[in-house]
Amino acid sequence: MKQAITTSIILGAIYCAPNPAQANSPFDCEKLLTKERTNTSETPEATEGLPQAATSTRDRGAGNRIGRLNKSSDRVLFAELRVAAVDGSVSYQLWSGGDTPLHTTTSISDLLEHIEARAKALNKTASHLDTSSLTPAQNDGLAAAMRIREQRRQRLTRIIARSHPAIDSPLFERGITFQFSDIRRADGSFKVEARLGTKSGEFRVTVSAKARAVLERFIAAVRKLLGQPRSQTMTFIDIINEARDITGADEKDLQMLLDGQFGHSEFVVNIIPLSVVKRPLG
Amino acid sequence: MTHIIRPSEIAILFGIPTSEEGYLRATEENRTDFVRGFVLPKYKQEVTQPFKRTAEMMKTDGAIITQDVTKEYLVSTVASGRFSVVVFMSHWHDQMIDFGDGAAHFADVAQALHIKHTVLDLCICGPVELVSNFRRLAPSSGLIRYSRTDALPSLWMYFYAAVIRLLKTNRLTYIQAFEEVSSRFLKRTPTTEL
């Protein structure tokens, strides 16, 4: 019997280039970047110099942002990664709105190369933007936004570089795991840590809590389909997260429970009664 | 205790039943205290299922897992010097410690134990009095780890599985790994640069 599992991850604009074709809103992408930037502490200086209109989008919801991004595939690297597993083989699709995927592949290395190539193409578009009509403040804002994008490009490139030794096997066979942080930012995004062995890199995705749960179930199902025991690819953080999950407690109760269990331990040396060493944790 | 620990240097010994059969046997024999607080479905949820899940991980990583240990087995394992860390998960109540073959008085256990250059990690509910008696009755050069609260078996099984997985992938001392996993459970700033 064929077993098919499909899920998708909604990805935010990891790369986003200004679209010169939109003459009335040359900062459309910068608005989005500003929105993300206000929720991170990476480059606070980058908010300076942006047009007032840019900051007015801060209160819009994350769903709105994703919807906007979906409408313009030429400005967005990708908005959605769909992953399907059929009888143990995995395929990946990059979507950015529309009826057809931007790219479909069964190879993770091909997927990553496509992402990289598309990112480079978008960067090239951005570098050819005519900035002659911009005010100095707008220019500063644009430069700041470009810096942020470059930081993101470098970050993803690092992740790709770390997980790129000619991988043709699916993500999970390589032991790459994704760790979602529990802290959801105001813009709806989560920080995600990709790990391969002891190496790791970080990026951010926008994913709803429901989608996140689906994703986690999907990953577990794929591992099962691939005949790979889940425990072999779990990091110690995965194990901790599973322990947190099995309690079934809400966050507040869980934290109290964990504080009680792991908040204090003592290591006692008793070679000489007077030389007691207490080593409280935390 | 200050050297890099590999999972194969760790023995996890269970004095409480970790299987359904063990639970039923202990309930029938009525010689130990821990199982008295549970009906079987609850015991499965809190002990046997987490054990099954985590024991597989710990064995895969190279740790030695032993169920239904007796007092003699605990004593000989600690004395053997084969393991740098011996984790003993059990229950103590009214001066008696639960073992696979019944309960034993803590003084008998303490006097029999010779903890030399070993970490004895006592995962036992609130064993403060037990530890102080261990120190009085069995002074040694070993290190004892304990906490002051009632230990939930399910969470601690996962805890040790995480410690062992961490030690498998990183060069850490036992205390470093212990603190790292504690910090991560509590979502504090990690103590170790991994």
Side-chain angles (χ1 to χ4, degrees):
Chain A
M1 192 179 75
K2 239 183 178 184
Q3 284 183 283
I5 297 174
T6 307
T7 192
S8 64
I9 314 162
I10 306 298
L11 299 167
I14 293 179
Y15 292 94
C16 177
N19 184 356
Q22 290 181 303
N24 292 332
S25 56
F27 288 99
D28 213 29
C29 280
E30 276 62 49
K31 288 179 188 175
L32 304 171
L33 291 170
T34 305
K35 185 173 171 56
E36 288 199 351
R37 183 170 60 242
T38 56
N39 293 302
T40 65
S41 57
E42 285 177 1
T43 51
E45 78 284 358
T47 54
E48 295 167 11
L50 280 171
Q52 195 58 42
T55 54
S56 65
T57 61
R58 287 178 187 174
D59 294 330
R60 294 182 185 175
N64 190 9
R65 183 166 70 87
I66 289 297
R68 284 155 52 87
L69 292 174
N70 275 337
K71 290 173 189 167
S72 180
S73 62
D74 61 333
R75 288 188 295 115
V76 183
L77 177 59
F78 56 86
E80 188 174 2
L81 170 63
R82 294 182 188 173
V83 195
V86 181
D87 279 353
S89 63
V90 180
S91 69
Y92 306 92
Q93 292 178 338
L94 287 173
W95 289 73
S96 185
D99 298 328
T100 54
L102 293 171
H103 188 64
T104 302
T105 181
T106 56
S107 157
I108 191 66
S109 61
D110 181 50
L111 175 75
L112 295 171
E113 278 168 8
H114 182 83
I115 293 170
E116 197 169 30
R118 191 164 167 79
K120 280 178 183 168
L122 287 174
N123 279 337
K124 193 176 174 186
T125 304
S127 68
H128 285 77
L129 176 69
D130 178 10
T131 57
S132 59
S133 62
L134 300 180
T135 65
Q138 287 173 328
N139 256 323
D140 289 347
L142 177 60
M146 299 282 276
R147 277 201 304 277
I148 293 173
R149 193 180 61 241
E150 177 59 16
Q151 285 169 2
R152 290 178 181 163
R153 191 191 67 74
Q154 289 177 0
R155 193 180 306 159
L156 187 56
T157 303
R158 282 199 299 275
I159 296 170
I160 292 169
R162 285 170 176 166
S163 56
H164 198 271
I167 15 181
D168 282 320
S169 55
L171 208 64
F172 310 108
E173 281 187 354
R174 292 289 308 165
I176 300 174
T177 57
F178 292 101
Q179 176 63 48
F180 286 79
S181 74
D182 287 326
I183 300 167
R184 188 172 184 182
R185 295 174 191 272
D187 66 357
S189 70
F190 290 94
K191 187 179 84 176
V192 176
E193 183 183 26
R195 294 186 72 92
L196 176 62
T198 56
K199 296 177 181 176
S200 67
E202 284 182 5
F203 59 98
R204 289 169 58 196
V205 299
T206 302
V207 54
S208 68
K210 188 178 173 187
R212 180 180 166 213
V214 169
L215 170 67
E216 286 171 352
R217 283 203 299 277
F218 164 75
I219 290 173
V222 168
R223 285 174 173 152
K224 192 176 175 186
L225 283 173
L226 293 173
Q228 190 175 30
R230 189 177 168 202
S231 61
Q232 283 184 12
T233 55
M234 291 174 78
T235 65
F236 81 103
I237 295 287
D238 295 329
I239 296 171
I240 289 170
N241 286 336
E242 185 175 319
R244 297 169 70 96
D245 289 344
I246 63 161
T247 63
D250 64 30
E251 190 59 31
K252 189 181 169 188
D253 290 344
L254 177 63
Q255 215 48 49
M256 284 176 62
L257 176 67
L258 296 175
D259 275 339
Q261 291 293 301
F262 308 122
H264 184 95
S265 273
E266 293 181 15
F267 286 86
V268 181
V269 177
N270 59 341
I271 184 169
I272 301 170
L274 290 177
S275 70
V276 174
V277 175
K278 286 191 177 179
R279 193 183 173 100
L281 294 167
Chain B
M1 60 197 78
T2 56
H3 67 273
I4 305 301
I5 300 284
R6 307 309 301 169
S8 58
E9 296 175 66
I10 300 177
I12 315 268
L13 312 183
F14 289 89
I16 54 171
T18 47
S19 63
E20 256 185 75
E21 300 73 36
Y23 166 86
L24 293 171
R25 191 171 56 246
T27 307
E28 192 178 317
E29 292 173 352
N30 198 25
R31 290 193 297 175
T32 52
D33 185 70
F34 185 63
V35 294
R36 288 178 188 148
F38 293 92
V39 291
L40 182 57
K42 189 76 174 163
Y43 200 81
K44 282 165 74 172
Q45 184 187 341
E46 299 203 358
V47 182
T48 64
Q49 286 169 353
F51 172 80
K52 201 172 175 185
R53 174 85 179 113
T54 55
E56 176 199 324
M57 298 182 204
M58 293 188 279
K59 283 178 187 169
T60 302
D61 289 345
I64 305 301
I65 311 295
T66 310
Q67 298 169 259
D68 303 321
V69 301
T70 62
K71 183 188 88 176
E72 290 70 28
Y73 189 91
L74 169 68
V75 169
S76 65
T77 303
V78 171
S80 70
R82 183 184 160 199
F83 300 102
S84 299
V85 179
V86 176
V87 178
F88 181 50
M89 290 189 75
S90 191
H91 172 76
W92 102 295
H93 173 76
D94 197 19
Q95 303 197 337
M96 303 293 281
I97 302 173
D98 283 5
F99 286 95
D101 58 349
H105 195 275
F106 78 89
D108 294 338
V109 179
Q111 280 173 338
L113 276 174
H114 299 284
I115 313 164
K116 290 179 181 174
H117 312 298
T118 303
V119 177
L120 177 60
D121 189 333
L122 288 173
C123 187
I124 297 177
C125 296
V128 178
E129 190 186 351
L130 180 66
V131 171
S132 65
N133 279 297
F134 267 26
R135 284 167 44 204
R136 182 170 58 81
L137 295 169
S140 69
S141 55
L143 193 65
I144 298 177
R145 202 287 307 171
Y146 70 101
S147 59
R148 295 171 181 270
T149 52
D150 287 355
L152 285 178
S154 55
L155 279 175
W156 281 96
M157 287 176 198
Y158 274 96
F159 182 93
Y160 292 114
V163 166
I164 289 166
R165 182 61 51 92
L166 180 60
L167 287 169
K168 185 186 179 187
T169 51
N170 294 273
R171 292 175 55 78
L172 299 172
T173 68
Y174 186 68
I175 291 178
Q176 284 174 326
F178 194 98
E179 292 190 340
E180 180 65 29
V181 172
S182 300
S183 300
R184 298 281 185 154
F185 258 111
L186 301 172
K187 292 193 171 178
R188 290 180 183 151
T189 307
T191 54
T192 309
E193 187 66 38
L194 297 175

